[in-house]
Amino acid sequence: TRRLFLGPDLVAKQVRASTLRAGRELTISVTVRNAGGEAASPTVVRCYLSPTRRLGVASIPIGSRVVPAIGPGEQAQVSVVGTAPSAPLPFLITVVDADGEVAEAKETNNTRVEALPDPAP
């Protein structure tokens, strides 16, 4: 018989950002869920602001935070704090297990993209 590898599966369940103001502190609250069948070791979540929905060379890193170990079906919330760039960018990209250190059952669902509201004056 063949045994299926369930493994951990980390996803950004919920992402909320404080009001975007150029050159000011930006706080991003990220809820990371382990949707897999095994515990996930600590990992890094990294946030970017981007002109497009894709992570690329024009994406600006905002900050990162270590997420503690998460059991199967459990979640953890972390806050990533950084400085908003002077030019407004419309998309927030959050990458869970950003350094690829956790062997996951599904490696293709670690990125979440959110459209941000127009920046405050």
Side-chain angles (χ1 to χ4, degrees):
T1 62
R2 185 175 170 199
R3 183 174 175 208
L4 296 175
F5 173 74
L6 296 177
D9 183 23
L10 298 171
V11 294
K13 179 91 172 143
Q14 190 173 47
V15 178
R16 291 190 184 134
S18 61
T19 303
L20 182 62
R21 296 179 196 270
R24 299 284 187 108
E25 184 176 276
L26 177 64
T27 301
I28 303 158
S29 173
V30 182
T31 301
V32 178
R33 178 171 169 74
N34 179 359
E38 295 178 15
S41 58
T43 188
V44 172
V45 63
R46 193 167 286 125
C47 297
Y48 302 83
L49 290 177
S50 181
T52 68
R53 291 184 160 277
R54 298 185 68 103
L55 188 59
V57 295
S59 302
I60 297 173
I62 295 300
S64 61
R65 185 73 185 252
V66 173
V67 179
I70 306 173
E74 295 179 351
Q75 57 188 34
Q77 186 172 344
V78 296
S79 291
V80 177
V81 179
T83 302
S86 56
L89 296 171
F91 297 102
L92 171 62
I93 300 175
T94 303
V95 183
V96 177
D97 191 28
D99 297 331
E101 295 177 343
V102 177
E104 296 180 68
K106 188 174 182 182
E107 295 283 359
T108 58
N109 62 350
N110 290 15
T111 302
R112 183 177 178 118
V113 180
E114 302 279 336
L116 293 172
D118 289 332

